[in-house]
Amino acid sequence: MKNRFKHSINYIAVQIALPSMIVGAICLFLFKNNSNTGFVGIGYFLAIVIGVLNSIMLLPLVVNTIRKIKDYPEHLKALVSLLINIPLSGAYLEVL
């Protein structure tokens, strides 16, 4: 996957966004199937951490996109993956 990204910040953003999306979905799935209250605490913590981490990563990614606009398709992929994850973590908090 590293070959697809010319800029390291885009690679880092996708490496943060995809695993956090997968882990959040797994926690939600486990909670809904087991109704174990332990997953609620873990899910809340992970959703808050995921939301904050993705929000923090958004600023350098936008700055890099503006500075190096000629590679916009690459930046767009990273921005979309990161921007999808922010409201998704909010939705996880709503469901839990």
Side-chain angles (χ1 to χ4, degrees), residues 7-90:
H7 302 283
S8 63
I9 195 156
N10 292 338
Y11 178 70
I12 293 169
V14 170
Q15 288 297 319
I16 290 172
L18 290 180
S20 62
M21 189 182 311
I22 292 168
V23 168
I26 289 172
C27 280
L28 183 66
F29 179 72
L30 288 174
F31 168 71
K32 286 297 185 182
N33 283 339
N34 294 336
S35 297
N36 187 354
T37 57
F39 288 119
V40 173
I42 294 169
Y44 272 122
F45 176 73
L46 282 175
I48 290 170
V49 169
I50 288 168
V52 168
L53 190 63
N54 286 323
S55 298
I56 290 171
M57 190 64 199
L58 185 63
L59 181 65
L61 196 59
V62 168
V63 169
N64 190 41
T65 301
I66 292 170
R67 286 180 54 209
K68 299 177 177 142
I69 193 72
K70 65 178 178 149
D71 297 325
Y72 75 91
E74 176 184 337
H75 298 304
L76 191 63
K77 289 177 191 174
L79 278 170
V80 166
S81 66
L82 201 64
L83 285 174
I84 286 174
N85 221 3
I86 294 171
L88 196 60
S89 65

